[in-house]
Amino acid sequence: MAAQFPVHRVEISFVGAPPVARIERASGVSAVEREGPIVRCLVAGSFQSFIEAIRGHEVLTLRATPTVTESSPPPDIPTT
């Protein structure tokens, strides 16, 4: 059985224009979308290539949320 790498949904906002072409070429990165200074994408496995792609660009916010796959349980949802 092949090992599955964790996949994260990433949203990152930049000061100025984001390096979209570099992000798209980064290993493990897919589904890249740009909305002004904000980039959303999926990152599978290591973040190293993604981080190298954004090096030198000022980041305002970065959020990485694990995605739910068929083999992983859903995250706990607090109840009130």
Side-chain angles (χ1 to χ4, degrees):
M1 176 186 259
Q4 279 192 315
F5 295 108
V7 177
H8 289 84
R9 181 166 303 284
V10 176
E11 181 175 295
I12 184 168
S13 62
F14 293 88
V15 172
V20 176
R22 288 174 48 184
I23 292 170
E24 289 174 329
R25 290 190 306 266
S27 178
V29 175
S30 62
V32 179
E33 300 174 356
R34 178 184 177 188
E35 187 177 319
I38 299 170
V39 174
R40 293 178 189 88
C41 62
L42 297 176
V43 177
S46 173
F47 275 83
Q48 187 62 39
S49 185
F50 176 78
I51 289 173
E52 290 171 5
I54 65 172
R55 182 179 52 212
H57 293 267
E58 188 173 351
V59 173
L60 288 175
T61 62
L62 186 144
R63 179 176 41 206
T65 308
T67 60
V68 178
T69 62
E70 291 178 19
S71 62
S72 65
D76 291 336
I77 299 173
T79 57
T80 55

